[in-house]
Amino acid sequence: MTETIAKTEISFTVNGRPRTVTVEPRKTLADTLREDCGLTGTHVGCEHGVCGACTVLVDGKAVRSCLMFGAQADGAEIRTVEGLAEGEALAPLQEAFIRNHALQCGFCTPGFLMLITGALDENPDIRDEELTEILSSNLCRCTGYRNIIRAAIETAETLRRSRGAA
Amino acid sequence: MTASDKTEAKPLRAERTRWIGQRVTRLEDRPMVTGTGHYVGDLNLPNQLHARVVRSAHARGRILGIDCAEARALPGVAAVWTAEDLGDLPPIPFRATSIKGLDPYCQPCLARGDVRYVGEPVAIVFAETPQIAEDAADLVFADVDEIAPYLDATQDPPDFAEGHGCEPVVIEKGYGDAEAAFAQATHVIELDLGIGRHSGIPMETRGALAVWDAGRRRLDMYGATKRPHWNRDRLAEMFGMSPSEIALHEPHVGGGFGIRGELYPEDVLVCLAALRLGRPVKWIEDRREHMQSANQSREQTHRIRAAIDADGRILGIDETLWHDQGAYVRTHGARVADMSIGLLLGPYRVPAYRARAHYRLTNKTPAATYRAPGRFEGSFVRERMIDAIAVRIGLDPMEVRRRNFIRADEMPFARNLTALETEVILDSGDYEGLLGKALAFSDWQRLSAEAETRRAAGDCVGTGLGFFVEKSGLGPSELVRVSVSTDGRVEVVTGAASLGQGMETAMAQICAETLGVHYNVIRVVHGDTDRIPYGYGAHASRVTVMTGEATRRAAELLRERALDMGAELLQAAPETLDILDGMIVSRDGAEVSLAEVARHLDPASATRGAREPGLAAEAWFHNKHMNYPYGAHTAMVSVDPETGAVRVERYSVTYDVGRAVNPAMIEGQILGGLSQGLGGALFEEFRYDESGQPVSVTFADYLMVSSAEMPPCDILILEDAPSPLNPLGLKGAGEGGVTAAGATIASAIDAALGRPGLVERLPATPQYIRRRIAEWDAAHGTPEGADA
Ligand code: FES
Ligand code: FES
């Protein structure tokens, strides 16, 4: 049974760092990141693709890492919550979350951060309504979302302004 | 000399930074936004085994046998246990109250003889990997002779076991002459109401990691929260160990809402396995398991009767409720049913009251507390009655409220009732004042006029208001130790727990203001039985009040000690000194840091003199009575009468919390609570089919509010009625966002559809609303201008 399943070797970059891990084909990307890469910032809330706590960026796109096998990420470029800050300096979105009280228990937070980061990367000119719409794909049980929406919109504005200034 | 006398004498104190009342950012946040927080699932120990629970597939039946042979034979399986393997391990106890007779109904850690709900643990597998454990669990076969399940607590209770029925107790409360009140009444109004089965559903499922060090005789369990000390003591009793041999530790916790951190069968089994198998054991629940095994709540059927005089004044209330406890008594005993009738009356004067709660065991997942337990339900029932009185008398519901409110000058107001084993004495409040503020703040007149205009144009739009009284600051006691280390950092140690509410920040603010340091030099340690001998946990909105006041007292004591040492070092009288941002300063500008003072108080320091070593202090706060924050919700909703779908367009919450330590965090609590309250009002429900199979076991079936359903919400926090029961005037603020949501939404839906009394049950799902429109119209005729 379990032990006879052949493991496969896969390589990808996570937060800019190349990794090679050996995993069972049935292992999800979420578990691969958590168990084989030691990146436990990616959380698992349902394993059904509904809650979005496990959201990471794969080749720039926000995906639910509980719905994807680790093996499917072979060769991909992955970003997780651990890759958002640069050293001690938090990303503007992380700061906006803190400033706006957009988190309480923090369990859903990495998923929301990656979801929003993906959306802003993909379309820096995203309209507020679109951004708000995208946020409805993840669940949070603590905050009632309003502050998450605020943090997302504020960050979009900050980024737009800093691009304008550049 | 008292602390306040000293305050007067200190001229410098006015310049001190205020921390209480400030919207500072949270100390908790950085690890959470960087992914460096550690929840129990993130923790691992070398050589650990993984547990997987085998759960009953049947709602009710006799266990004929459990075949574990195949599972045991699977390579990588260390052990498979059924009830037989547990020996005389006692069932899980509950926190005793004066209600007797519940013991025979406690849950064994693994089903013994009978299974009583789908999801009940019948066996447990321990294996080298979670995958092997899961495979092995699939191989365990429980042979069950099914019995028809008991699923409707309003039906006559069958037998639970030989000599024990499914209704262990009927709780009765009351005062005054209810019979006379009903005899005198101009009107008697009777309503049949119900609330569905909900739960907290934290985004992190439950989990535990236990390790036994036989050499040191020491059992450590990670993943505890809410009640670590109580759970430790019960584990010690169940295992016949000393509490000193067991330590519970709270990692980061992904939300609790009342349901997490109770002592569950899985916690006990994981600890027992660590003891017996001699290896660390880890268990992480999956979502489906969570939906059928973690505590559920709320499901009650109410029949409320009110005796009313010609002016709409309440003369008496008679209330009967049927509480669906599910399959076993859990750690709360019968508290929710008890509290439901103990706190039902909210802000209103009710001269005579008679209530009974039928506490019944069915074949569903067991129930206990979930955020605003008994009050979400009770507020729905009571405020539905207020609306019904308004209709019957032909008065504005606000006027009905005004006529029945307990007045501010009647406070404190003894209810003559008990709840949570304390007398209900409303400590402070100006209900009428708050109602006025809530109406003004929510722009009630304009919104209601707008709704009317839109109704005239054919839309179904309405406004609703729900008034509520919460309770908080449940005692009995809390202990806090504050210390300053030689680098000037401050540590606050409490036995309370943190499940994500921001308690670290709130305690740091109270300590910072009292002591005179910046809040970010403070570290708050909680939920660890190793660090403090007593703790009463995080529940019942008690932490801000109980731990907050204990923190203030300990910080005040520590401040005195610091000033005493500082006075000698600065050659000044202590009362001429102040502490500003961690520095003791004198009037002539001399200063010494708290770090320096801590070094002078080292046990070996020559300057210490006869003073107690260390710059530290500890203090208790004991409190016999709860206090009672209160508020109002308003909503504007639109309903699509074709589909029955409700859209909440606007919402407001006005909440008097006595004293707001951090308004931004309180707003966060209110918003989060509201999202759960709206879920309970409109979407969320654990449903069971006729055979007792749960049909809401994923997020696809148990519908929670997402950002798309969450309306904009205006929040007004008031501090008009500080609690006289603690010096800061604190009341807890964790539950008021939930409490009146059901009542408010029901009222707004009635108004939108122009059909008073339409909503009798929550959640008001689209199907329910369509059905009720048909029923209402059949009974009363289609209202003028409304769609048939
Ligand atoms: S854990 Fe992946 S969506 Fe919930
Ligand atoms: S902050 Fe707790 S689930 Fe979102």
Side-chain angles (χ1 to χ4, degrees):
Chain A
M1 301 215 41
T2 316
E3 290 190 310
T4 59
I5 296 172
K7 295 191 174 186
T8 48
E9 191 180 273
I10 52 172
S11 301
F12 42 51
T13 42
V14 188
N15 302 325
R17 192 176 142 206
R19 301 258 194 173
T20 299
V21 294
T22 310
V23 294
E24 282 177 27
R26 70 170 171 176
K27 194 166 208 169
T28 63
L29 177 59
D31 287 347
T32 306
L33 290 167
R34 291 174 52 79
E35 293 166 13
D36 301 278
C37 304
L39 296 170
T40 55
T42 299
H43 296 154
V44 172
C46 70
E47 293 177 285
H48 272 103
V50 183
C51 75
C54 64
T55 306
V56 299
L57 300 185
V58 175
D59 294 327
K61 280 224 162 353
V63 303
R64 314 215 146 185
S65 61
C66 73
L67 289 186
M68 194 170 161
F69 292 116
Q72 291 172 294
D74 194 24
E77 215 168 286
I78 299 167
R79 264 187 99 189
T80 68
V81 66
E82 288 92 343
L84 288 179
E86 292 195 30
E88 284 297 291
L90 296 181
L93 181 63
Q94 291 170 307
E95 296 204 340
F97 261 60
I98 295 176
R99 212 171 33 246
N100 287 289
H101 290 270
L103 63 151
Q104 286 181 32
C105 80
F107 196 78
C108 70
T109 309
F112 272 101
L113 290 171
M114 299 321 290
L115 181 71
I116 299 165
T117 301
L120 293 179
D121 282 357
E122 205 166 320
N123 177 11
D125 294 312
I126 190 165
R127 287 178 304 117
D128 290 355
E129 307 77 69
E130 274 178 85
L131 193 53
T132 310
E133 167 83 33
I134 287 173
L135 291 182
S136 70
S137 50
N138 279 18
L139 289 172
C140 170
R141 195 60 165 165
C142 299
T143 64
Y145 306 101
R146 304 303 306 183
N147 292 347
I148 298 179
I149 296 173
R150 252 194 3 217
I153 291 177
E154 197 182 290
T155 307
E157 270 165 28
T158 313
L159 294 180
R160 270 197 294 272
R161 237 180 292 122
S162 67
R163 263 189 318 137
Chain B
M1 186 190 273
T2 68
S4 58
D5 292 334
K6 275 172 110 186
T7 313
E8 312 273 276
K10 276 181 222 131
L12 282 168
R13 196 148 180 171
E15 296 168 22
R16 299 182 51 197
T17 316
R18 312 302 315 201
W19 292 105
I20 297 176
Q22 304 303 308
R23 313 171 75 92
V24 296
T25 57
R26 303 195 326 161
L27 298 174
E28 290 90 341
D29 287 356
R30 199 181 164 97
M32 293 172 184
V33 299
T34 51
T36 46
H38 283 125
Y39 301 81
V40 62
D42 306 335
L43 306 177
N44 292 293
L45 287 168
N47 201 30
Q48 71 193 7
L49 288 167
H50 297 265
R52 176 84 187 176
V53 176
V54 181
R55 297 181 184 278
S56 172
H58 307 282
R60 177 97 173 89
R62 224 34 240 156
I63 300 174
L64 302 175
I66 302 174
D67 184 357
C68 304
E70 247 188 287
R72 287 198 174 109
L74 194 69
V77 170
V80 182
W81 294 349
T82 66
E84 273 174 33
D85 301 283
L86 300 184
D88 54 6
L89 184 74
I92 296 179
F94 56 92
R95 294 192 277 281
T97 67
S98 52
I99 298 164
K100 298 289 169 246
L102 301 183
D103 299 82
Y105 304 89
C106 289
Q107 181 162 10
C109 291
L110 291 171
R112 240 177 242 278
D114 289 271
V115 289
R116 298 182 182 278
Y117 65 97
V118 175
E120 177 170 5
V122 296
I124 186 164
V125 175
F126 305 97
E128 299 297 333
T129 69
Q131 291 77 18
I132 298 175
E134 203 173 328
D135 289 343
D138 287 343
L139 298 175
V140 174
F141 174 70
D143 190 7
V144 171
D145 186 15
E146 282 192 71
I147 304 171
Y150 175 48
L151 297 166
D152 179 353
T154 63
Q155 300 296 308
D156 285 344
D159 276 351
F160 181 88
E162 187 77 41
H164 300 290
C166 280
E167 181 177 81
V169 63
V170 181
I171 306 161
E172 305 203 33
K173 291 184 196 290
Y175 58 81
D177 190 344
E179 231 160 89
F182 279 86
Q184 251 177 353
T186 314
H187 307 277
V188 172
I189 304 176
E190 178 172 316
L191 300 177
D192 285 302
L193 302 166
I195 296 103
R197 212 168 176 81
H198 310 159
S199 185
I201 319 286
M203 292 313 297
E204 182 201 14
T205 58
R206 295 176 301 148
L209 171 62
V211 55
W212 166 239
D213 181 335
R216 290 192 306 135
R217 291 197 59 78
R218 179 58 201 209
L219 177 70
D220 286 282
M221 197 265 252
Y222 303 86
T225 187
K226 187 174 178 183
R227 301 285 318 236
H229 287 83
W230 192 86
N231 290 0
R232 176 200 61 186
D233 294 349
R234 298 297 84 72
L235 286 169
E237 284 165 11
M238 292 176 79
F239 299 154
M241 293 169 67
S242 161
S244 67
E245 293 172 328
I246 302 179
L248 267 53
H249 312 278
E250 180 183 50
H252 279 118
V253 176
F257 318 117
I259 71 107
R260 191 190 179 94
E262 292 295 347
L263 190 62
Y264 283 103
E266 295 89 348
D267 302 307
V268 180
L269 292 169
V270 165
C271 289
L272 187 67
L275 286 169
R276 285 206 195 157
L277 304 175
R279 291 173 63 179
V281 178
K282 179 175 179 176
W283 170 73
I284 300 295
E285 175 183 58
D286 70 30
R287 182 55 66 184
R288 195 186 172 82
E289 286 185 280
H290 184 86
M291 307 291 254
Q292 32 182 289
S293 56
N295 286 342
Q296 302 184 346
S297 200
R298 303 262 199 264
E299 187 172 8
Q300 283 180 172
T301 304
H302 294 252
R303 174 164 303 148
I304 182 169
R305 293 170 63 237
I308 309 296
D309 74 9
D311 299 326
R313 287 200 177 75
I314 300 169
L315 303 174
I317 289 204
D318 180 277
E319 149 87 2
T320 306
L321 72 80
W322 293 265
H323 178 91
D324 187 329
Q325 170 57 29
Y328 292 101
V329 171
R330 279 195 171 165
T331 46
H332 287 83
R335 276 179 170 75
V336 177
D338 179 87
M339 210 173 351
S340 293
I341 53 174
L343 299 171
L344 178 76
L345 305 178
Y348 306 115
R349 188 185 310 97
V350 176
Y353 179 53
R354 194 168 53 194
R356 58 208 71 74
H358 295 271
Y359 179 80
R360 292 183 173 172
L361 287 111
T362 61
N363 294 113
K364 302 177 189 170
T365 302
T369 55
Y370 161 39
R371 207 173 196 176
R375 282 99 68 199
F376 178 88
E377 302 88 317
S379 295
F380 172 68
V381 169
R382 180 189 66 244
E383 298 297 289
R384 288 277 70 193
M385 179 54 84
I386 295 292
D387 279 350
I389 295 170
V391 171
R392 178 71 65 91
I393 310 282
L395 269 182
D396 178 359
M398 304 310 152
E399 183 53 30
V400 175
R401 290 189 172 94
R402 284 190 200 100
R403 288 185 188 179
N404 288 288
F405 275 146
I406 293 164
R407 293 190 318 273
D409 63 11
E410 293 176 276
M411 298 286 172
F413 187 90
R415 271 279 181 213
N416 257 320
L417 290 169
T418 60
L420 293 167
E421 303 294 292
T422 68
E423 278 171 86
V424 179
I425 303 171
L426 304 171
D427 60 326
S428 62
D430 177 2
Y431 302 143
E432 183 166 353
L434 185 133
L435 179 65
K437 289 186 180 183
L439 293 175
F441 175 70
S442 64
D443 217 351
W444 177 258
Q445 294 296 351
R446 199 187 54 75
L447 282 185
S448 299
E450 183 192 321
E452 210 175 305
T453 314
R454 287 169 65 188
R455 276 203 300 277
D459 288 340
C460 296
V461 184
T463 52
L465 179 141
F467 203 98
F468 69 98
V469 175
E470 256 301 329
K471 53 123 207 93
S472 66
L474 180 67
S477 300
E478 208 59 64
L479 170 68
V480 162
R481 184 182 307 127
V482 181
S483 56
V484 179
S485 52
T486 50
D487 65 353
R489 292 193 176 257
V490 180
E491 189 182 68
V492 174
V493 186
T494 163
S498 173
L499 304 93
Q501 331 85 310
M503 75 88 100
E504 294 178 27
T505 304
M507 293 310 114
Q509 287 179 261
I510 292 173
C511 179
E513 173 146 333
T514 314
L515 185 55
V517 297
H518 195 286
Y519 87 117
N520 70 9
V521 306
I522 299 172
R523 164 194 171 83
V524 179
V525 177
H526 49 80
D528 197 321
T529 60
D530 259 359
R531 293 298 314 276
I532 192 156
Y534 297 96
Y536 296 85
H539 57 101
S541 291
R542 64 184 299 284
V543 175
T544 302
V545 178
M546 295 302 299
T547 308
E549 173 56 13
T551 299
R552 192 196 63 79
R553 290 179 180 205
E556 192 68 52
L557 273 175
L558 184 133
R559 178 184 167 84
E560 278 172 33
R561 289 189 185 160
L563 291 178
D564 176 58
M565 183 76 241
E568 182 172 320
L569 297 171
L570 295 175
Q571 294 295 306
E575 56 276 11
T576 65
L577 302 176
D578 199 357
I579 308 177
L580 300 176
D581 210 6
M583 301 296 290
I584 301 181
V585 294
S586 75
R587 282 189 189 152
D588 53 18
E591 55 181 41
V592 59
S593 69
L594 288 178
E596 186 68 24
V597 170
R599 285 193 284 276
H600 282 280
L601 288 173
D602 185 87
S605 156
T607 38
R608 175 171 66 84
R611 295 178 186 89
E612 183 80 5
L615 183 49
E618 71 177 35
W620 282 98
F621 179 48
H622 306 285
N623 186 10
K624 279 205 184 59
H625 292 291
M626 296 190 285
N627 58 37
Y628 297 88
Y630 58 96
H633 290 201
T634 68
M636 174 145 114
V637 309
S638 56
V639 186
D640 179 342
E642 296 297 312
T643 62
V646 174
R647 203 167 80 82
V648 184
E649 298 185 358
R650 293 283 300 272
Y651 209 91
S652 86
V653 176
T654 303
Y655 197 13
D656 195 313
V657 299
R659 176 97 181 258
V661 176
N662 185 328
M665 294 202 311
I666 294 173
E667 286 163 14
Q669 286 292 307
I670 290 173
L671 283 170
L674 177 61
S675 72
Q676 294 182 315
L678 292 178
L682 292 168
F683 312 108
E684 295 179 31
E685 184 168 21
F686 289 105
R687 276 175 288 109
Y688 291 80
D689 71 13
E690 332 63 80
S691 66
Q693 289 294 326
V695 295
S696 324
V697 292
T698 69
F699 286 154
D701 320 298
Y702 187 87
L703 299 176
M704 303 194 298
V705 164
S706 82
S707 65
E709 291 82 37
M710 186 69 191
C713 176
D714 299 315
I715 298 169
L716 176 63
I717 298 170
L718 297 176
E719 298 180 319
D720 292 343
S723 176
L725 303 182
N726 65 79
L728 291 174
L730 302 167
K731 294 180 179 181
E735 301 173 270
V738 194
T739 318
T744 304
I745 292 295
S747 178
I749 292 173
D750 281 9
L753 292 169
R755 292 170 173 87
L758 179 117
V759 178
E760 297 177 335
R761 189 177 184 284
L762 301 176
T765 61
Q767 302 85 310
Y768 173 80
I769 287 180
R770 284 204 311 270
R771 197 185 83 220
R772 282 294 297 149
I773 290 176
E775 285 172 4
W776 198 97
D777 291 358
H780 308 271
T782 304
E784 230 174 284
D787 289 325

